[in-house]
Each structure stands twice: as structure tokens, then as C-alpha cells.
Amino acid sequence: MKRQRAFFHTLRLPRFRRITLPLLLLLVFTATSYSLVGRQTATVPLPGLVMIDAGHGGYDPGVMSNGILEKDITLAIAKQLQAALQARGIPTAMTRDSDIDYADSGTKGSSSKRSDLNKRLELTEIQQATVFVSLHINNSTLATRGGAEVFYSEQNEGTAELAAAVQSELHKIPQMSKRDAKPGKYYLLRNQEIPSLIVECGYLNIADERARLNTADYQKKLAEAIANGLDSWLQKNK
Ligand SMILES: [Zn+2]
């Protein structure tokens, strides 16, 4: 009995702890509630928000030619596009702003790719974006001419007009080979519920276009053209 009493005694909290423990719990609860509110307010939709997706990243370089990686060019253009849109007063968010990917650990091949793309879709949904733009670079030995090309999500109303607006701005870039906007069957486009574009900004296998794509000046021209197209469509579709 004596030993038992001593055992219970060690479990009994000193008087000051009996008071502070509920207080501590209250503080933890308050802090948790506050951070939840913070997270909710962070996802209040901003009208006209453009979600910019720099294609590939991290483990996935995308297409490559002469030591130039698609993931580096798309990130550079994405940053320029964000600056161009912000200069026009258009809110933006980015799926990535550094060399990362979202592939689930332990996955390989197509499972890695799928989990990476799903995260980009999820991030777009969290931001409650109005428009989604994914930036890519082409590389095809079959292509004999370069040029930026806009693909759009057919299932989302108004997207053909959005794609045409961006494509016509891209045509204004000097030396741009003229290509037409067209519907695309890409996973990212098929699974978006908002007007969504994939902009293939040019061809890495075309030597002079590859050289241009690797310059900040041309990346800016592409970004400004895409921003102009988005801006004009957003103005009309407020
Ligand atoms: Zn790509």
C-alpha cells in the first residue's frame, strides 16, 4: 500500500501545473485554430488569378538539346511571365519557382510523372485560379520549322478564344514562325476545370530558335506576348 501510494503520488501534478496545463491546452488550441483560419484566408480566390506552371523540373528535365534543358527554359519564362502579369495588375501563383518536382517518393516512370502532374492540378485548385498556363518547349526531329504553339482544354468554355488571343500575340514576335492554336489532349488540359493552356514556346532542335530560347531577351518577349493575350481575354471575361 505504501509503495502504491508513492506511485500515485508521482503521477499527481504539482498545484501550479494543475492550473497551467489547461491553460497550455487552451493556448495550443487557440494557436491551431488561428493557423487554420490563416490557411483558409490564404485560399480565398483572387479574381482573375493566373496559375503559371513551369513544365517539368527536379528529376524531370523535359526535352534536352545541346546541353539546354526544357525545365530551365520553362522556369525562366515562367518567372518573366509572372513579372509581366504582375506589372499588368493580374494576380498570379506558380506551381514551382525553383528546380523541383512533385513526384511521390518511391514512384517510378509514369507513376512519378502522374503524381507530379496531379500535384500541379491540386495546386491550381487550391489557388482557385481563373486560368492555368503550363509552359513547355518542343523537340521534334520531324519539325522543320520552329514557332510557339498554344494548346487548349477543349472542355472548358471560352478557352479557344483565350488560346487564339495568346497565339496572335505570339505571332507578333519578330522571327516567330506562325503556328495555329489547337485543342490538346494532354493530361493537364483534360483534367482542369478552368480555361487552361499549354504553350509550347518553341523547338529546341531548330538551331536558331534554340539559341533564342536560351536568352533572357527572347524569354521576356515570349512572356510579354503570353501576358498580353491573357490580359486581353481576362479584360473581356471579367
Ligand atoms: Zn514539356
Side-chain angles (χ1 to χ4, degrees):
M1 281 299 281
K2 215 176 182 184
R3 197 178 286 168
Q4 217 174 20
R5 220 179 286 138
F7 173 69
F8 280 117
H9 183 74
T10 57
L11 278 183
R12 214 179 289 151
L13 293 167
R15 177 179 287 268
F16 78 94
R17 281 196 195 156
R18 265 182 259 158
I19 298 162
T20 53
L21 193 63
L23 270 175
L24 270 172
L25 287 171
L26 184 69
L27 273 172
V28 168
F29 177 73
T30 313
T32 313
S33 313
Y34 181 78
S35 69
L36 281 174
V37 169
R39 255 180 273 155
Q40 277 162 2
T41 53
T43 58
V44 166
L46 289 167
L49 185 137
V50 175
M51 188 65 166
I52 304 165
D53 177 44
H56 311 276
Y59 87 97
D60 173 15
V63 296
M64 295 175 271
S65 181
N66 286 36
I68 297 171
L69 309 182
E70 180 181 1
K71 66 172 183 177
D72 296 331
I73 307 286
T74 58
L75 182 58
I77 300 170
K79 288 179 177 174
Q80 296 264 24
L81 178 57
Q82 183 176 46
L85 289 169
Q86 284 175 347
R88 289 160 178 77
I90 298 168
T92 60
M94 295 175 87
T95 56
R96 68 179 181 101
D97 61 4
S98 60
D99 186 17
I100 58 162
D101 61 77
Y102 294 106
D104 286 344
S105 60
T107 56
K108 283 185 196 168
S110 59
S111 301
S112 294
K113 188 68 188 164
R114 185 55 59 91
S115 57
D116 176 81
L117 296 178
N118 281 338
K119 184 69 184 178
R120 293 170 200 245
L121 292 169
E122 191 191 320
L123 290 168
T124 308
E125 203 176 322
I126 289 169
Q127 291 292 338
Q128 300 181 52
T130 300
V131 174
F132 172 83
V133 182
S134 187
L135 302 168
H136 289 261
I137 310 293
N138 251 321
N139 191 36
S140 167
T141 48
L142 297 172
T144 52
R145 67 186 178 100
E149 193 167 17
V150 182
F151 293 90
Y152 61 92
S153 54
E154 236 177 336
Q155 77 277 14
N156 306 124
E157 212 178 315
T159 314
E161 291 76 29
L162 171 66
V166 172
Q167 186 75 72
S168 73
E169 289 295 331
L170 286 164
H171 283 174
K172 294 177 188 171
I173 297 175
Q175 296 177 285
M176 177 62 76
S177 185
K178 310 286 189 292
R179 289 178 175 274
D180 294 326
K182 43 180 87 71
K185 301 286 178 206
Y186 298 94
Y187 183 79
L188 275 179
L189 296 181
R190 283 188 283 112
N191 291 283
Q192 286 286 16
E193 289 176 2
I194 54 169
S196 299
L197 305 179
I198 282 182
V199 183
E200 295 279 359
C201 295
Y203 284 77
L204 273 191
N205 56 300
I206 309 284
D208 57 344
E209 192 157 69
R210 179 174 63 243
R212 282 197 296 274
L213 283 166
N214 205 27
T215 66
D217 180 56
Y218 191 69
Q219 290 161 2
K220 189 172 183 188
K221 283 193 172 84
L222 288 162
E224 292 288 336
I226 297 167
N228 281 339
L230 291 168
D231 194 11
S232 66
W233 185 86
L234 285 164
Q235 300 271 8
K236 280 186 212 148
N237 291 273
K238 265 183 184 163

